[in-house]
Amino acid sequence: MSNLTLALHYAAFAIVATTANLGTQSAILAIDDQAIVYYFALVAGTGIGLVVKYILDKRWIFADPSRGIAAHAQRFSLYTLMGVATTLIFWGTETLFWFTWHTHEARVAGALLGLGIGYLVKYQLDRRFVFSSQPRRTPAYAVAAAPPA
């Protein structure tokens, strides 16, 4: 698979995870947008986005063949750890925009900017530290889409 194809798929999955993240936040903030609710929405949205992105990346980006609870726990733990710094980029940018302009549009703009930067960094960390122990394989969707020989 070409680097461009991989990047496009990764970007598409980032959009799916971002939509899940911001959708969760919006649903919670529709109830109340006080500061304490904002922080709960931030954490809940991040958690949902993390799980969605892990599932997509593990299977479709890194073609990780590992199975079983122990393997998933180890990979997900590393995946989450790599996401700590990138989440701080996301949260910091989103919160800066929220408290600077006090609008949901600014919050979303900050979130999108922070998530974009965070995902660029996270891919490199995941490739090097989370999914590096298995040999590089072609992701399952690329094999399924390949023409017969």
Side-chain angles (χ1 to χ4, degrees):
M1 174 186 325
S2 74
N3 287 339
L4 177 61
T5 302
L6 181 67
L8 291 173
H9 285 101
Y10 190 81
F13 295 152
I15 290 168
V16 169
T18 299
T19 301
N21 182 331
L22 297 181
T24 300
Q25 286 189 36
S26 292
I28 293 168
L29 290 171
I31 298 166
D32 190 350
D33 67 357
Q34 293 179 14
I36 191 71
V37 177
Y38 168 74
Y39 293 117
F40 175 74
L42 197 63
V43 171
T46 300
I48 295 295
L50 176 71
V51 170
V52 167
K53 190 76 167 65
Y54 171 76
I55 291 167
L56 293 171
D57 285 355
K58 181 184 182 319
R59 166 100 170 120
W60 300 105
I61 297 299
F62 298 106
D64 179 31
S66 63
R67 303 236 185 260
I69 292 173
H72 284 292
Q74 179 185 18
R75 290 263 194 253
F76 188 73
S77 295
L78 284 171
Y79 190 84
T80 301
L81 182 62
M82 295 302 123
V84 169
T86 59
T87 297
L88 292 176
I89 294 168
F90 155 53
W91 282 1
T93 307
E94 180 178 3
T95 302
L96 176 67
F97 278 50
W98 173 256
F99 285 118
T100 300
W101 289 284
H102 303 288
T103 67
H104 288 289
E105 294 78 12
R107 179 188 60 79
V108 170
L112 292 173
L113 178 61
L115 283 167
I117 294 167
Y119 279 133
L120 288 172
V121 172
K122 186 147 181 9
Y123 172 78
Q124 295 301 320
L125 293 171
D126 290 340
R127 185 172 63 90
R128 288 187 179 112
F129 301 110
V130 178
F131 297 104
S132 63
S133 63
Q134 75 269 356
R136 300 306 262 176
R137 296 183 333 147
T138 302
Y141 63 83
V143 172

mmCIF file with all atom_site columns, all heavy atoms in Angstrom, residues 32-52:
data_model
loop_
_atom_site.group_PDB
_atom_site.id
_atom_site.type_symbol
_atom_site.label_atom_id
_atom_site.label_alt_id
_atom_site.label_comp_id
_atom_site.label_asym_id
_atom_site.label_entity_id
_atom_site.label_seq_id
_atom_site.pdbx_PDB_ins_code
_atom_site.Cartn_x
_atom_site.Cartn_y
_atom_site.Cartn_z
_atom_site.occupancy
_atom_site.B_iso_or_equiv
_atom_site.pdbx_formal_charge
_atom_site.auth_seq_id
_atom_site.auth_comp_id
_atom_site.auth_asym_id
_atom_site.auth_atom_id
_atom_site.pdbx_PDB_model_num
ATOM 1   N N   . ASP A 1 32 ? -25.961 20.751 29.540 1.00 0.00 ? 32 ASP A N   1
ATOM 2   C CA  . ASP A 1 32 ? -25.489 21.859 30.374 1.00 0.00 ? 32 ASP A CA  1
ATOM 3   C C   . ASP A 1 32 ? -24.059 22.176 29.946 1.00 0.00 ? 32 ASP A C   1
ATOM 4   O O   . ASP A 1 32 ? -23.295 21.269 29.628 1.00 0.00 ? 32 ASP A O   1
ATOM 5   C CB  . ASP A 1 32 ? -25.514 21.445 31.853 1.00 0.00 ? 32 ASP A CB  1
ATOM 6   C CG  . ASP A 1 32 ? -25.276 22.602 32.806 1.00 0.00 ? 32 ASP A CG  1
ATOM 7   O OD1 . ASP A 1 32 ? -24.898 23.704 32.350 1.00 0.00 ? 32 ASP A OD1 1
ATOM 8   O OD2 . ASP A 1 32 ? -25.447 22.401 34.021 1.00 0.00 ? 32 ASP A OD2 1
ATOM 9   N N   . ASP A 1 33 ? -23.699 23.453 29.908 1.00 0.00 ? 33 ASP A N   1
ATOM 10  C CA  . ASP A 1 33 ? -22.333 23.795 29.495 1.00 0.00 ? 33 ASP A CA  1
ATOM 11  C C   . ASP A 1 33 ? -21.535 24.502 30.583 1.00 0.00 ? 33 ASP A C   1
ATOM 12  O O   . ASP A 1 33 ? -20.608 25.246 30.301 1.00 0.00 ? 33 ASP A O   1
ATOM 13  C CB  . ASP A 1 33 ? -22.327 24.592 28.196 1.00 0.00 ? 33 ASP A CB  1
ATOM 14  C CG  . ASP A 1 33 ? -22.949 25.973 28.328 1.00 0.00 ? 33 ASP A CG  1
ATOM 15  O OD1 . ASP A 1 33 ? -23.448 26.327 29.418 1.00 0.00 ? 33 ASP A OD1 1
ATOM 16  O OD2 . ASP A 1 33 ? -22.932 26.712 27.328 1.00 0.00 ? 33 ASP A OD2 1
ATOM 17  N N   . GLN A 1 34 ? -21.859 24.226 31.829 1.00 0.00 ? 34 GLN A N   1
ATOM 18  C CA  . GLN A 1 34 ? -21.054 24.755 32.928 1.00 0.00 ? 34 GLN A CA  1
ATOM 19  C C   . GLN A 1 34 ? -19.674 24.099 32.898 1.00 0.00 ? 34 GLN A C   1
ATOM 20  O O   . GLN A 1 34 ? -19.486 23.047 32.302 1.00 0.00 ? 34 GLN A O   1
ATOM 21  C CB  . GLN A 1 34 ? -21.734 24.468 34.265 1.00 0.00 ? 34 GLN A CB  1
ATOM 22  C CG  . GLN A 1 34 ? -23.034 25.226 34.445 1.00 0.00 ? 34 GLN A CG  1
ATOM 23  C CD  . GLN A 1 34 ? -23.689 24.906 35.773 1.00 0.00 ? 34 GLN A CD  1
ATOM 24  O OE1 . GLN A 1 34 ? -23.049 24.328 36.654 1.00 0.00 ? 34 GLN A OE1 1
ATOM 25  N NE2 . GLN A 1 34 ? -24.947 25.274 35.910 1.00 0.00 ? 34 GLN A NE2 1
ATOM 26  N N   . ALA A 1 35 ? -18.730 24.735 33.566 1.00 0.00 ? 35 ALA A N   1
ATOM 27  C CA  . ALA A 1 35 ? -17.334 24.279 33.523 1.00 0.00 ? 35 ALA A CA  1
ATOM 28  C C   . ALA A 1 35 ? -17.183 22.812 33.910 1.00 0.00 ? 35 ALA A C   1
ATOM 29  O O   . ALA A 1 35 ? -16.498 22.054 33.224 1.00 0.00 ? 35 ALA A O   1
ATOM 30  C CB  . ALA A 1 35 ? -16.463 25.152 34.414 1.00 0.00 ? 35 ALA A CB  1
ATOM 31  N N   . ILE A 1 36 ? -17.825 22.365 34.984 1.00 0.00 ? 36 ILE A N   1
ATOM 32  C CA  . ILE A 1 36 ? -17.657 20.976 35.426 1.00 0.00 ? 36 ILE A CA  1
ATOM 33  C C   . ILE A 1 36 ? -18.226 20.002 34.377 1.00 0.00 ? 36 ILE A C   1
ATOM 34  O O   . ILE A 1 36 ? -17.654 18.944 34.138 1.00 0.00 ? 36 ILE A O   1
ATOM 35  C CB  . ILE A 1 36 ? -18.280 20.737 36.832 1.00 0.00 ? 36 ILE A CB  1
ATOM 36  C CG1 . ILE A 1 36 ? -17.869 19.375 37.372 1.00 0.00 ? 36 ILE A CG1 1
ATOM 37  C CG2 . ILE A 1 36 ? -19.788 20.873 36.794 1.00 0.00 ? 36 ILE A CG2 1
ATOM 38  C CD1 . ILE A 1 36 ? -16.417 19.285 37.760 1.00 0.00 ? 36 ILE A CD1 1
ATOM 39  N N   . VAL A 1 37 ? -19.310 20.384 33.738 1.00 0.00 ? 37 VAL A N   1
ATOM 40  C CA  . VAL A 1 37 ? -19.893 19.545 32.685 1.00 0.00 ? 37 VAL A CA  1
ATOM 41  C C   . VAL A 1 37 ? -18.975 19.543 31.463 1.00 0.00 ? 37 VAL A C   1
ATOM 42  O O   . VAL A 1 37 ? -18.805 18.517 30.803 1.00 0.00 ? 37 VAL A O   1
ATOM 43  C CB  . VAL A 1 37 ? -21.323 20.020 32.336 1.00 0.00 ? 37 VAL A CB  1
ATOM 44  C CG1 . VAL A 1 37 ? -21.908 19.203 31.192 1.00 0.00 ? 37 VAL A CG1 1
ATOM 45  C CG2 . VAL A 1 37 ? -22.223 19.944 33.567 1.00 0.00 ? 37 VAL A CG2 1
ATOM 46  N N   . TYR A 1 38 ? -18.372 20.681 31.165 1.00 0.00 ? 38 TYR A N   1
ATOM 47  C CA  . TYR A 1 38 ? -17.422 20.756 30.057 1.00 0.00 ? 38 TYR A CA  1
ATOM 48  C C   . TYR A 1 38 ? -16.291 19.749 30.241 1.00 0.00 ? 38 TYR A C   1
ATOM 49  O O   . TYR A 1 38 ? -15.943 19.010 29.322 1.00 0.00 ? 38 TYR A O   1
ATOM 50  C CB  . TYR A 1 38 ? -16.849 22.173 29.923 1.00 0.00 ? 38 TYR A CB  1
ATOM 51  C CG  . TYR A 1 38 ? -15.665 22.229 28.988 1.00 0.00 ? 38 TYR A CG  1
ATOM 52  C CD1 . TYR A 1 38 ? -15.836 22.132 27.612 1.00 0.00 ? 38 TYR A CD1 1
ATOM 53  C CD2 . TYR A 1 38 ? -14.363 22.330 29.478 1.00 0.00 ? 38 TYR A CD2 1
ATOM 54  C CE1 . TYR A 1 38 ? -14.755 22.151 26.753 1.00 0.00 ? 38 TYR A CE1 1
ATOM 55  C CE2 . TYR A 1 38 ? -13.281 22.358 28.627 1.00 0.00 ? 38 TYR A CE2 1
ATOM 56  C CZ  . TYR A 1 38 ? -13.475 22.262 27.265 1.00 0.00 ? 38 TYR A CZ  1
ATOM 57  O OH  . TYR A 1 38 ? -12.395 22.262 26.417 1.00 0.00 ? 38 TYR A OH  1
ATOM 58  N N   . TYR A 1 39 ? -15.728 19.696 31.429 1.00 0.00 ? 39 TYR A N   1
ATOM 59  C CA  . TYR A 1 39 ? -14.618 18.772 31.679 1.00 0.00 ? 39 TYR A CA  1
ATOM 60  C C   . TYR A 1 39 ? -15.078 17.316 31.577 1.00 0.00 ? 39 TYR A C   1
ATOM 61  O O   . TYR A 1 39 ? -14.363 16.466 31.047 1.00 0.00 ? 39 TYR A O   1
ATOM 62  C CB  . TYR A 1 39 ? -13.955 19.060 33.033 1.00 0.00 ? 39 TYR A CB  1
ATOM 63  C CG  . TYR A 1 39 ? -13.255 20.395 33.037 1.00 0.00 ? 39 TYR A CG  1
ATOM 64  C CD1 . TYR A 1 39 ? -13.656 21.406 33.895 1.00 0.00 ? 39 TYR A CD1 1
ATOM 65  C CD2 . TYR A 1 39 ? -12.200 20.650 32.159 1.00 0.00 ? 39 TYR A CD2 1
ATOM 66  C CE1 . TYR A 1 39 ? -13.019 22.643 33.888 1.00 0.00 ? 39 TYR A CE1 1
ATOM 67  C CE2 . TYR A 1 39 ? -11.565 21.873 32.150 1.00 0.00 ? 39 TYR A CE2 1
ATOM 68  C CZ  . TYR A 1 39 ? -11.975 22.867 33.012 1.00 0.00 ? 39 TYR A CZ  1
ATOM 69  O OH  . TYR A 1 39 ? -11.341 24.077 32.989 1.00 0.00 ? 39 TYR A OH  1
ATOM 70  N N   . PHE A 1 40 ? -16.279 17.023 32.066 1.00 0.00 ? 40 PHE A N   1
ATOM 71  C CA  . PHE A 1 40 ? -16.823 15.670 31.916 1.00 0.00 ? 40 PHE A CA  1
ATOM 72  C C   . PHE A 1 40 ? -17.001 15.342 30.435 1.00 0.00 ? 40 PHE A C   1
ATOM 73  O O   . PHE A 1 40 ? -16.653 14.242 29.983 1.00 0.00 ? 40 PHE A O   1
ATOM 74  C CB  . PHE A 1 40 ? -18.158 15.536 32.666 1.00 0.00 ? 40 PHE A CB  1
ATOM 75  C CG  . PHE A 1 40 ? -18.812 14.204 32.442 1.00 0.00 ? 40 PHE A CG  1
ATOM 76  C CD1 . PHE A 1 40 ? -18.320 13.058 33.046 1.00 0.00 ? 40 PHE A CD1 1
ATOM 77  C CD2 . PHE A 1 40 ? -19.911 14.091 31.600 1.00 0.00 ? 40 PHE A CD2 1
ATOM 78  C CE1 . PHE A 1 40 ? -18.904 11.823 32.819 1.00 0.00 ? 40 PHE A CE1 1
ATOM 79  C CE2 . PHE A 1 40 ? -20.506 12.866 31.372 1.00 0.00 ? 40 PHE A CE2 1
ATOM 80  C CZ  . PHE A 1 40 ? -20.001 11.724 31.985 1.00 0.00 ? 40 PHE A CZ  1
ATOM 81  N N   . ALA A 1 41 ? -17.536 16.294 29.658 1.00 0.00 ? 41 ALA A N   1
ATOM 82  C CA  . ALA A 1 41 ? -17.730 16.086 28.222 1.00 0.00 ? 41 ALA A CA  1
ATOM 83  C C   . ALA A 1 41 ? -16.399 15.846 27.518 1.00 0.00 ? 41 ALA A C   1
ATOM 84  O O   . ALA A 1 41 ? -16.284 14.989 26.631 1.00 0.00 ? 41 ALA A O   1
ATOM 85  C CB  . ALA A 1 41 ? -18.448 17.290 27.611 1.00 0.00 ? 41 ALA A CB  1
ATOM 86  N N   . LEU A 1 42 ? -15.382 16.591 27.918 1.00 0.00 ? 42 LEU A N   1
ATOM 87  C CA  . LEU A 1 42 ? -14.047 16.449 27.340 1.00 0.00 ? 42 LEU A CA  1
ATOM 88  C C   . LEU A 1 42 ? -13.504 15.034 27.557 1.00 0.00 ? 42 LEU A C   1
ATOM 89  O O   . LEU A 1 42 ? -13.014 14.385 26.631 1.00 0.00 ? 42 LEU A O   1
ATOM 90  C CB  . LEU A 1 42 ? -13.119 17.486 27.980 1.00 0.00 ? 42 LEU A CB  1
ATOM 91  C CG  . LEU A 1 42 ? -11.817 17.829 27.308 1.00 0.00 ? 42 LEU A CG  1
ATOM 92  C CD1 . LEU A 1 42 ? -12.062 18.461 25.949 1.00 0.00 ? 42 LEU A CD1 1
ATOM 93  C CD2 . LEU A 1 42 ? -11.040 18.787 28.194 1.00 0.00 ? 42 LEU A CD2 1
ATOM 94  N N   . VAL A 1 43 ? -13.617 14.543 28.782 1.00 0.00 ? 43 VAL A N   1
ATOM 95  C CA  . VAL A 1 43 ? -13.109 13.208 29.120 1.00 0.00 ? 43 VAL A CA  1
ATOM 96  C C   . VAL A 1 43 ? -13.945 12.120 28.433 1.00 0.00 ? 43 VAL A C   1
ATOM 97  O O   . VAL A 1 43 ? -13.389 11.175 27.852 1.00 0.00 ? 43 VAL A O   1
ATOM 98  C CB  . VAL A 1 43 ? -13.071 13.010 30.650 1.00 0.00 ? 43 VAL A CB  1
ATOM 99  C CG1 . VAL A 1 43 ? -12.770 11.566 31.016 1.00 0.00 ? 43 VAL A CG1 1
ATOM 100 C CG2 . VAL A 1 43 ? -12.035 13.943 31.279 1.00 0.00 ? 43 VAL A CG2 1
ATOM 101 N N   . ALA A 1 44 ? -15.264 12.247 28.470 1.00 0.00 ? 44 ALA A N   1
ATOM 102 C CA  . ALA A 1 44 ? -16.136 11.238 27.857 1.00 0.00 ? 44 ALA A CA  1
ATOM 103 C C   . ALA A 1 44 ? -15.906 11.171 26.342 1.00 0.00 ? 44 ALA A C   1
ATOM 104 O O   . ALA A 1 44 ? -15.784 10.082 25.764 1.00 0.00 ? 44 ALA A O   1
ATOM 105 C CB  . ALA A 1 44 ? -17.603 11.543 28.160 1.00 0.00 ? 44 ALA A CB  1
ATOM 106 N N   . GLY A 1 45 ? -15.835 12.323 25.692 1.00 0.00 ? 45 GLY A N   1
ATOM 107 C CA  . GLY A 1 45 ? -15.597 12.348 24.250 1.00 0.00 ? 45 GLY A CA  1
ATOM 108 C C   . GLY A 1 45 ? -14.253 11.753 23.884 1.00 0.00 ? 45 GLY A C   1
ATOM 109 O O   . GLY A 1 45 ? -14.123 10.992 22.921 1.00 0.00 ? 45 GLY A O   1
ATOM 110 N N   . THR A 1 46 ? -13.238 12.081 24.659 1.00 0.00 ? 46 THR A N   1
ATOM 111 C CA  . THR A 1 46 ? -11.906 11.539 24.414 1.00 0.00 ? 46 THR A CA  1
ATOM 112 C C   . THR A 1 46 ? -11.899 10.021 24.562 1.00 0.00 ? 46 THR A C   1
ATOM 113 O O   . THR A 1 46 ? -11.290 9.312  23.755 1.00 0.00 ? 46 THR A O   1
ATOM 114 C CB  . THR A 1 46 ? -10.883 12.192 25.371 1.00 0.00 ? 46 THR A CB  1
ATOM 115 O OG1 . THR A 1 46 ? -10.890 13.609 25.136 1.00 0.00 ? 46 THR A OG1 1
ATOM 116 C CG2 . THR A 1 46 ? -9.493  11.639 25.161 1.00 0.00 ? 46 THR A CG2 1
ATOM 117 N N   . GLY A 1 47 ? -12.579 9.513  25.577 1.00 0.00 ? 47 GLY A N   1
ATOM 118 C CA  . GLY A 1 47 ? -12.648 8.062  25.781 1.00 0.00 ? 47 GLY A CA  1
ATOM 119 C C   . GLY A 1 47 ? -13.319 7.347  24.619 1.00 0.00 ? 47 GLY A C   1
ATOM 120 O O   . GLY A 1 47 ? -12.807 6.335  24.119 1.00 0.00 ? 47 GLY A O   1
ATOM 121 N N   . ILE A 1 48 ? -14.431 7.880  24.169 1.00 0.00 ? 48 ILE A N   1
ATOM 122 C CA  . ILE A 1 48 ? -15.143 7.268  23.037 1.00 0.00 ? 48 ILE A CA  1
ATOM 123 C C   . ILE A 1 48 ? -14.273 7.326  21.786 1.00 0.00 ? 48 ILE A C   1
ATOM 124 O O   . ILE A 1 48 ? -14.127 6.337  21.062 1.00 0.00 ? 48 ILE A O   1
ATOM 125 C CB  . ILE A 1 48 ? -16.498 7.978  22.794 1.00 0.00 ? 48 ILE A CB  1
ATOM 126 C CG1 . ILE A 1 48 ? -17.440 7.774  23.980 1.00 0.00 ? 48 ILE A CG1 1
ATOM 127 C CG2 . ILE A 1 48 ? -17.137 7.532  21.481 1.00 0.00 ? 48 ILE A CG2 1
ATOM 128 C CD1 . ILE A 1 48 ? -17.874 6.347  24.223 1.00 0.00 ? 48 ILE A CD1 1
ATOM 129 N N   . GLY A 1 49 ? -13.683 8.489  21.520 1.00 0.00 ? 49 GLY A N   1
ATOM 130 C CA  . GLY A 1 49 ? -12.812 8.621  20.344 1.00 0.00 ? 49 GLY A CA  1
ATOM 131 C C   . GLY A 1 49 ? -11.616 7.680  20.399 1.00 0.00 ? 49 GLY A C   1
ATOM 132 O O   . GLY A 1 49 ? -11.218 7.107  19.390 1.00 0.00 ? 49 GLY A O   1
ATOM 133 N N   . LEU A 1 50 ? -11.045 7.510  21.582 1.00 0.00 ? 50 LEU A N   1
ATOM 134 C CA  . LEU A 1 50 ? -9.890  6.619  21.762 1.00 0.00 ? 50 LEU A CA  1
ATOM 135 C C   . LEU A 1 50 ? -10.237 5.176  21.405 1.00 0.00 ? 50 LEU A C   1
ATOM 136 O O   . LEU A 1 50 ? -9.504  4.518  20.654 1.00 0.00 ? 50 LEU A O   1
ATOM 137 C CB  . LEU A 1 50 ? -9.394  6.697  23.211 1.00 0.00 ? 50 LEU A CB  1
ATOM 138 C CG  . LEU A 1 50 ? -8.260  5.744  23.581 1.00 0.00 ? 50 LEU A CG  1
ATOM 139 C CD1 . LEU A 1 50 ? -6.963  6.173  22.915 1.00 0.00 ? 50 LEU A CD1 1
ATOM 140 C CD2 . LEU A 1 50 ? -8.091  5.694  25.090 1.00 0.00 ? 50 LEU A CD2 1
ATOM 141 N N   . VAL A 1 51 ? -11.340 4.690  21.907 1.00 0.00 ? 51 VAL A N   1
ATOM 142 C CA  . VAL A 1 51 ? -11.733 3.302  21.644 1.00 0.00 ? 51 VAL A CA  1
ATOM 143 C C   . VAL A 1 51 ? -12.036 3.099  20.162 1.00 0.00 ? 51 VAL A C   1
ATOM 144 O O   . VAL A 1 51 ? -11.582 2.117  19.546 1.00 0.00 ? 51 VAL A O   1
ATOM 145 C CB  . VAL A 1 51 ? -12.933 2.895  22.530 1.00 0.00 ? 51 VAL A CB  1
ATOM 146 C CG1 . VAL A 1 51 ? -13.501 1.552  22.098 1.00 0.00 ? 51 VAL A CG1 1
ATOM 147 C CG2 . VAL A 1 51 ? -12.518 2.860  24.000 1.00 0.00 ? 51 VAL A CG2 1
ATOM 148 N N   . VAL A 1 52 ? -12.770 4.024  19.564 1.00 0.00 ? 52 VAL A N   1
ATOM 149 C CA  . VAL A 1 52 ? -13.092 3.922  18.135 1.00 0.00 ? 52 VAL A CA  1
ATOM 150 C C   . VAL A 1 52 ? -11.809 3.902  17.312 1.00 0.00 ? 52 VAL A C   1
ATOM 151 O O   . VAL A 1 52 ? -11.617 3.045  16.434 1.00 0.00 ? 52 VAL A O   1
ATOM 152 C CB  . VAL A 1 52 ? -14.015 5.077  17.699 1.00 0.00 ? 52 VAL A CB  1
ATOM 153 C CG1 . VAL A 1 52 ? -14.107 5.181  16.180 1.00 0.00 ? 52 VAL A CG1 1
ATOM 154 C CG2 . VAL A 1 52 ? -15.401 4.920  18.311 1.00 0.00 ? 52 VAL A CG2 1
#
